[in-house]
Amino acid sequence: VLGYSIPGLAKTLTLNWAVGSILLFGVGAVTRQAWYRYAALVILGMALVHVVVVDATRLEGVFRILAYIGLGIVSIGVALGYTKFKDRV
């Protein structure tokens, strides 16, 4: 699976995808180009699927909880960003 061959990346892969999606969303908002925002949503969707399918089985205890909380925060942030800047995006 992508990222699991690099030591230490396995526990932060979903977080990295989520942060990347936030950055892409920001670029899309600033440049007003929709494909950046769509790419951000696709990557965020991949992170969501990864949390549910992979992280839920591989991560233990606190890391599993943090993965769900982190992804929830990112999802809420993107939703709020769309709502707040809907005229600009």
Side-chain angles (χ1 to χ4, degrees):
V1 176
L2 178 64
Y4 285 101
S5 60
I6 301 171
L9 185 63
K11 290 183 181 173
T12 62
L13 183 63
T14 307
L15 178 64
N16 292 336
W17 284 352
V19 169
S21 72
I22 291 171
L23 293 175
L24 274 176
F25 179 76
V27 169
V30 169
T31 63
R32 296 182 184 201
Q33 293 188 13
W35 73 273
Y36 284 114
R37 295 188 310 272
Y38 295 142
L41 291 175
V42 168
I43 293 172
L44 188 61
M46 288 171 42
L48 175 65
V49 170
H50 193 265
V51 163
V52 172
V53 174
V54 177
D55 291 345
T57 59
R58 291 191 181 182
L59 293 178
E60 297 177 6
V62 127
F63 289 115
R64 182 182 304 166
I65 294 167
L66 290 175
Y68 281 116
I69 290 173
L71 192 59
I73 290 170
V74 168
S75 298
I76 291 170
V78 168
L80 290 175
Y82 263 114
T83 303
K84 185 173 183 179
F85 299 111
K86 66 181 172 185
D87 299 331
R88 295 175 58 193
V89 292

